[in-house]
Amino acid sequence: QVQLVESGGGLVQPGGSLRLSCAASGSIFSMYAMGWYRQGPGKQRELVATITSGGSTNYADSVKGRFTISRDNAKNTVYLLMNSLKPEDTAVYYCKADAQPLLAVRRYDYWGQGTQVTVSS
């Protein structure tokens, strides 16, 4: 009922920047918190950043001061601006949305399929 599509991943040199986008589509009654997660090689999926519908943000310690999460509620889109990228940021980045579909009586978590970010010289 709700689909998420990520874009903006790619190859970047250490110290560079990328901006990821995630657009939600479908019959959405209400969108709540959105966020970004990542899974690096040989690692578990971890939280990167979240943002509430009102704009309150939360970041993993490893990305504080470097990454910025934002959203456009009119477009049901969340962004992740990644600055000062490090090789250890290399991972597949996944978008998540907490949303309630039209005609549904509860909210659900939805996940995108991921976009690869590679930080290498």
Side-chain angles (χ1 to χ4, degrees):
Q1 293 178 312
V2 179
Q3 298 81 43
L4 303 179
V5 179
E6 301 104 332
S7 62
L11 175 65
V12 65
Q13 295 183 357
S17 299
L18 282 175
R19 190 178 81 153
L20 306 182
S21 299
C22 173
S25 62
S27 300
I28 302 170
F29 172 71
S30 186
M31 184 72 70
Y32 300 95
M34 303 184 78
W36 291 94
Y37 295 71
R38 68 185 182 187
Q39 186 168 12
K43 299 179 180 179
Q44 295 294 110
R45 187 174 299 188
E46 64 176 351
L47 176 75
V48 176
T50 60
I51 184 167
T52 69
S53 60
S56 296
T57 59
N58 178 258
Y59 298 92
D61 288 341
S62 59
V63 307
K64 285 181 179 177
R66 299 189 297 121
F67 291 10
T68 302
I69 188 170
S70 61
R71 65 190 290 166
D72 184 336
N73 290 334
K75 297 180 179 179
N76 284 326
T77 299
V78 63
Y79 306 93
L80 185 68
L81 175 62
M82 303 181 292
N83 293 322
S84 302
L85 283 162
K86 305 174 181 179
E88 50 263 45
D89 294 319
T90 295
V92 177
Y93 283 71
Y94 298 90
C95 174
K96 191 188 83 171
D98 176 6
Q100 183 173 352
L102 286 174
L103 304 181
V105 297
R106 57 159 288 187
R107 57 210 279 182
Y108 301 88
D109 282 344
Y110 297 90
W111 291 87
Q113 292 187 298
T115 185
Q116 177 71 47
V117 172
T118 302
V119 184
S120 177
S121 59

